[in-house]
Amino acid sequence: AINTDTDGDFVYIVKNNIVKKQAITTGLYGKEQVEITKGLEKGDHVISTVDSSIEEGMTVVENLVED
């Protein structure tokens, strides 16, 4: 879910069914997990699978998956 561009690390989140690019700061990381130390709040809905069709500002229908 974490992406990187010239501005740094980011994730795509969904607010009010609109995709938003959210800058983040990462901390500790391992093979399958990354600590996000800044940029997300409890309850933010992160798009976990990102491909080239995801763009900031697009309208989506959420399909929530519980951990």
Side-chain angles (χ1 to χ4, degrees):
I2 297 174
N3 298 276
T4 303
D5 64 10
T6 56
D7 296 326
D9 294 330
F10 69 93
V11 295
Y12 287 109
I13 62 173
V14 177
K15 287 198 175 188
N16 300 318
N17 293 340
I18 303 293
V19 174
K20 180 182 179 210
K21 183 177 168 182
Q22 180 65 45
I24 59 166
T25 302
T26 59
L28 300 174
Y29 62 91
K31 281 186 169 188
E32 296 182 21
Q33 296 179 336
V34 177
E35 176 186 31
I36 296 176
T37 59
K38 188 175 180 182
L40 291 179
E41 296 179 17
K42 185 176 182 171
D44 281 347
H45 296 174
V46 176
I47 298 176
S48 59
T49 304
V50 177
D51 61 30
S52 61
S53 67
I54 301 295
E55 295 179 10
E56 186 173 26
M58 70 187 304
T59 302
V60 295
V61 176
E62 292 187 76
N63 182 12
L64 300 177
V65 177
E66 296 291 325
D67 264 342

